[in-house]
Amino acid sequence: MKTKTQKIVMASLLAALCCVATMIIKIPSPLKGYLNLGDCVVLLSGWILSPLYGFFAAGLGSALADVFSGYVTYAPATFLIKGIMALTAYFGFKFLNNKIGNLTARIISAVVAETIMVLGYFVFEGFLYGFAPSVVNIPANVMQGLAGIIIGIVLVKIFEKNKIMMD
């Protein structure tokens, strides 16, 4: 059993890592957003932390990256979308793990979480720029999601091998 302090420290570290992973590689997307590697840490936060800690680590780390990078308009939506992604990864994995196995459960929970990301930003950008123009960011967000799934699964396997799990 991990102490509350250990959980807070791990959530804080993952929030910081999420922020850095989001900011370190930014490829501009057509509608003023950007592609990044933060989703792998969002998924990792959901898989290794409890739901509340995972939500805040993913949401806060990603939203801070938006604020620090000059995308303040996106920060509230990012906080919710990335937090919900972490919750989806957590609950999807917990529900499926005993039924279909570890790797398959991670892949499915990640695909559902990334689908939420793509749809979440489509709706958010639809209200900002109009729904027809926001369609242009869907392929870029899908590519970001695929990268997040692949790297996230590699990271969680490393964490599992080294017994770095907080839930």
Side-chain angles (χ1 to χ4, degrees):
M1 179 73 182
K2 304 292 181 183
T3 67
K4 187 173 183 176
T5 301
Q6 289 172 314
K7 291 178 182 180
I8 291 170
V9 168
M10 181 60 81
S12 300
L13 288 170
L14 285 169
L17 184 58
C18 192
C19 183
V20 170
T22 302
M23 292 177 68
I24 199 138
I25 296 176
K26 288 190 291 195
I27 303 165
S29 63
L31 279 181
K32 301 180 183 174
Y34 59 96
L35 293 155
N36 62 76
L37 295 177
D39 281 8
C40 62
V41 184
V42 168
L43 294 171
L44 183 65
S45 297
W47 288 327
I48 73 167
L49 297 171
S50 63
L52 183 65
Y53 288 95
F55 178 92
F56 281 106
L60 190 57
S62 299
L64 284 172
D66 281 350
V67 171
F68 296 152
S69 298
Y71 294 88
V72 177
T73 305
Y74 277 73
T78 293
F79 177 78
L80 287 175
I81 292 166
K82 301 299 180 166
I84 292 169
M85 285 175 63
L87 288 176
T88 302
Y90 177 88
F91 287 113
F93 175 73
K94 291 295 180 190
F95 178 76
L96 296 171
N97 186 35
N98 292 331
K99 295 175 177 58
I100 59 175
N102 185 298
L103 180 60
T104 307
R106 293 215 192 273
I107 292 170
I108 291 172
S109 67
V111 167
V112 174
E114 294 295 351
T115 300
I116 288 169
M117 182 269 293
V118 172
L119 293 174
Y121 282 113
F122 171 72
V123 169
F124 175 71
E125 291 171 342
F127 284 112
L128 278 181
Y129 310 114
F131 286 94
S134 67
V135 169
V136 75
N137 272 353
I138 291 175
N141 284 334
V142 168
M143 294 306 295
Q144 175 178 308
L146 289 173
I149 291 168
I150 293 166
I151 298 168
I153 288 173
V154 169
L155 289 174
V156 81
K157 291 300 177 187
I158 293 168
F159 274 56
E160 284 176 334
K161 183 178 180 181
N162 292 289
K163 297 178 179 29
I164 305 172
M165 305 300 280
M166 298 304 291
D167 184 32

PDB file of all heavy atoms in Angstrom, residues 97-111:
ATOM      1  N   ASN A  97      -9.042  -5.970 -18.055  1.00  0.00           N
ATOM      2  CA  ASN A  97      -7.799  -6.704 -17.794  1.00  0.00           C
ATOM      3  C   ASN A  97      -8.019  -8.182 -17.505  1.00  0.00           C
ATOM      4  O   ASN A  97      -7.358  -9.034 -18.100  1.00  0.00           O
ATOM      5  CB  ASN A  97      -7.024  -6.045 -16.650  1.00  0.00           C
ATOM      6  CG  ASN A  97      -5.679  -6.672 -16.437  1.00  0.00           C
ATOM      7  OD1 ASN A  97      -5.010  -7.096 -17.368  1.00  0.00           O
ATOM      8  ND2 ASN A  97      -5.260  -6.743 -15.195  1.00  0.00           N
ATOM      9  N   ASN A  98      -8.912  -8.516 -16.606  1.00  0.00           N
ATOM     10  CA  ASN A  98      -9.137  -9.920 -16.252  1.00  0.00           C
ATOM     11  C   ASN A  98      -9.900 -10.688 -17.322  1.00  0.00           C
ATOM     12  O   ASN A  98      -9.873 -11.912 -17.325  1.00  0.00           O
ATOM     13  CB  ASN A  98      -9.872 -10.021 -14.909  1.00  0.00           C
ATOM     14  CG  ASN A  98      -9.008  -9.547 -13.761  1.00  0.00           C
ATOM     15  OD1 ASN A  98      -7.791  -9.637 -13.814  1.00  0.00           O
ATOM     16  ND2 ASN A  98      -9.639  -9.013 -12.725  1.00  0.00           N
ATOM     17  N   LYS A  99     -10.557  -9.970 -18.208  1.00  0.00           N
ATOM     18  CA  LYS A  99     -11.349 -10.621 -19.255  1.00  0.00           C
ATOM     19  C   LYS A  99     -10.534 -10.948 -20.500  1.00  0.00           C
ATOM     20  O   LYS A  99     -10.728 -11.987 -21.112  1.00  0.00           O
ATOM     21  CB  LYS A  99     -12.535  -9.730 -19.626  1.00  0.00           C
ATOM     22  CG  LYS A  99     -13.547  -9.527 -18.521  1.00  0.00           C
ATOM     23  CD  LYS A  99     -14.615  -8.537 -18.945  1.00  0.00           C
ATOM     24  CE  LYS A  99     -15.696  -8.335 -17.930  1.00  0.00           C
ATOM     25  NZ  LYS A  99     -15.300  -7.890 -16.628  1.00  0.00           N
ATOM     26  N   ILE A 100      -9.637 -10.035 -20.892  1.00  0.00           N
ATOM     27  CA  ILE A 100      -8.945 -10.212 -22.179  1.00  0.00           C
ATOM     28  C   ILE A 100      -7.428 -10.103 -22.083  1.00  0.00           C
ATOM     29  O   ILE A 100      -6.746 -10.229 -23.094  1.00  0.00           O
ATOM     30  CB  ILE A 100      -9.471  -9.224 -23.240  1.00  0.00           C
ATOM     31  CG1 ILE A 100      -9.278  -7.776 -22.784  1.00  0.00           C
ATOM     32  CG2 ILE A 100     -10.930  -9.495 -23.557  1.00  0.00           C
ATOM     33  CD1 ILE A 100      -9.665  -6.746 -23.815  1.00  0.00           C
ATOM     34  N   GLY A 101      -6.905  -9.847 -20.916  1.00  0.00           N
ATOM     35  CA  GLY A 101      -5.456  -9.780 -20.750  1.00  0.00           C
ATOM     36  C   GLY A 101      -4.924  -8.360 -20.734  1.00  0.00           C
ATOM     37  O   GLY A 101      -5.559  -7.425 -21.219  1.00  0.00           O
ATOM     38  N   ASN A 102      -3.723  -8.244 -20.197  1.00  0.00           N
ATOM     39  CA  ASN A 102      -3.099  -6.958 -19.934  1.00  0.00           C
ATOM     40  C   ASN A 102      -2.909  -6.105 -21.182  1.00  0.00           C
ATOM     41  O   ASN A 102      -3.385  -4.962 -21.246  1.00  0.00           O
ATOM     42  CB  ASN A 102      -1.761  -7.212 -19.231  1.00  0.00           C
ATOM     43  CG  ASN A 102      -1.068  -5.949 -18.793  1.00  0.00           C
ATOM     44  OD1 ASN A 102      -0.716  -5.110 -19.598  1.00  0.00           O
ATOM     45  ND2 ASN A 102      -0.865  -5.824 -17.487  1.00  0.00           N
ATOM     46  N   LEU A 103      -2.200  -6.599 -22.158  1.00  0.00           N
ATOM     47  CA  LEU A 103      -1.864  -5.788 -23.334  1.00  0.00           C
ATOM     48  C   LEU A 103      -3.104  -5.386 -24.118  1.00  0.00           C
ATOM     49  O   LEU A 103      -3.267  -4.217 -24.495  1.00  0.00           O
ATOM     50  CB  LEU A 103      -0.878  -6.524 -24.236  1.00  0.00           C
ATOM     51  CG  LEU A 103      -0.453  -5.775 -25.498  1.00  0.00           C
ATOM     52  CD1 LEU A 103       0.215  -4.442 -25.150  1.00  0.00           C
ATOM     53  CD2 LEU A 103       0.458  -6.641 -26.350  1.00  0.00           C
ATOM     54  N   THR A 104      -3.995  -6.333 -24.360  1.00  0.00           N
ATOM     55  CA  THR A 104      -5.216  -6.028 -25.115  1.00  0.00           C
ATOM     56  C   THR A 104      -6.075  -5.026 -24.367  1.00  0.00           C
ATOM     57  O   THR A 104      -6.649  -4.113 -24.970  1.00  0.00           O
ATOM     58  CB  THR A 104      -6.005  -7.322 -25.401  1.00  0.00           C
ATOM     59  OG1 THR A 104      -5.128  -8.263 -26.024  1.00  0.00           O
ATOM     60  CG2 THR A 104      -7.175  -7.055 -26.323  1.00  0.00           C
ATOM     61  N   ALA A 105      -6.152  -5.172 -23.049  1.00  0.00           N
ATOM     62  CA  ALA A 105      -6.927  -4.228 -22.241  1.00  0.00           C
ATOM     63  C   ALA A 105      -6.325  -2.828 -22.322  1.00  0.00           C
ATOM     64  O   ALA A 105      -7.053  -1.831 -22.400  1.00  0.00           O
ATOM     65  CB  ALA A 105      -6.988  -4.692 -20.790  1.00  0.00           C
ATOM     66  N   ARG A 106      -5.009  -2.734 -22.312  1.00  0.00           N
ATOM     67  CA  ARG A 106      -4.357  -1.421 -22.428  1.00  0.00           C
ATOM     68  C   ARG A 106      -4.622  -0.807 -23.802  1.00  0.00           C
ATOM     69  O   ARG A 106      -4.910   0.384 -23.899  1.00  0.00           O
ATOM     70  CB  ARG A 106      -2.864  -1.540 -22.173  1.00  0.00           C
ATOM     71  CG  ARG A 106      -2.563  -1.923 -20.743  1.00  0.00           C
ATOM     72  CD  ARG A 106      -1.322  -1.285 -20.210  1.00  0.00           C
ATOM     73  NE  ARG A 106      -0.934  -1.893 -18.951  1.00  0.00           N
ATOM     74  CZ  ARG A 106      -1.378  -1.514 -17.768  1.00  0.00           C
ATOM     75  NH1 ARG A 106      -2.242  -0.526 -17.659  1.00  0.00           N
ATOM     76  NH2 ARG A 106      -0.968  -2.125 -16.670  1.00  0.00           N
ATOM     77  N   ILE A 107      -4.513  -1.604 -24.837  1.00  0.00           N
ATOM     78  CA  ILE A 107      -4.741  -1.089 -26.192  1.00  0.00           C
ATOM     79  C   ILE A 107      -6.170  -0.574 -26.333  1.00  0.00           C
ATOM     80  O   ILE A 107      -6.395   0.538 -26.812  1.00  0.00           O
ATOM     81  CB  ILE A 107      -4.423  -2.159 -27.250  1.00  0.00           C
ATOM     82  CG1 ILE A 107      -2.921  -2.444 -27.271  1.00  0.00           C
ATOM     83  CG2 ILE A 107      -4.919  -1.727 -28.630  1.00  0.00           C
ATOM     84  CD1 ILE A 107      -2.520  -3.657 -28.107  1.00  0.00           C
ATOM     85  N   ILE A 108      -7.135  -1.365 -25.911  1.00  0.00           N
ATOM     86  CA  ILE A 108      -8.545  -0.960 -26.060  1.00  0.00           C
ATOM     87  C   ILE A 108      -8.848   0.270 -25.210  1.00  0.00           C
ATOM     88  O   ILE A 108      -9.483   1.221 -25.689  1.00  0.00           O
ATOM     89  CB  ILE A 108      -9.495  -2.128 -25.719  1.00  0.00           C
ATOM     90  CG1 ILE A 108      -9.371  -3.210 -26.801  1.00  0.00           C
ATOM     91  CG2 ILE A 108     -10.942  -1.645 -25.599  1.00  0.00           C
ATOM     92  CD1 ILE A 108     -10.097  -4.498 -26.486  1.00  0.00           C
ATOM     93  N   SER A 109      -8.380   0.281 -23.956  1.00  0.00           N
ATOM     94  CA  SER A 109      -8.648   1.452 -23.109  1.00  0.00           C
ATOM     95  C   SER A 109      -7.974   2.695 -23.692  1.00  0.00           C
ATOM     96  O   SER A 109      -8.537   3.794 -23.626  1.00  0.00           O
ATOM     97  CB  SER A 109      -8.193   1.199 -21.676  1.00  0.00           C
ATOM     98  OG  SER A 109      -6.790   1.091 -21.558  1.00  0.00           O
ATOM     99  N   ALA A 110      -6.809   2.535 -24.282  1.00  0.00           N
ATOM    100  CA  ALA A 110      -6.111   3.669 -24.893  1.00  0.00           C
ATOM    101  C   ALA A 110      -6.831   4.159 -26.145  1.00  0.00           C
ATOM    102  O   ALA A 110      -6.946   5.372 -26.366  1.00  0.00           O
ATOM    103  CB  ALA A 110      -4.674   3.283 -25.233  1.00  0.00           C
ATOM    104  N   VAL A 111      -7.311   3.252 -26.966  1.00  0.00           N
ATOM    105  CA  VAL A 111      -8.036   3.648 -28.183  1.00  0.00           C
ATOM    106  C   VAL A 111      -9.305   4.419 -27.812  1.00  0.00           C
ATOM    107  O   VAL A 111      -9.615   5.458 -28.419  1.00  0.00           O
ATOM    108  CB  VAL A 111      -8.360   2.419 -29.063  1.00  0.00           C
ATOM    109  CG1 VAL A 111      -9.366   2.763 -30.155  1.00  0.00           C
ATOM    110  CG2 VAL A 111      -7.081   1.848 -29.675  1.00  0.00           C
TER     111      VAL A 111
END
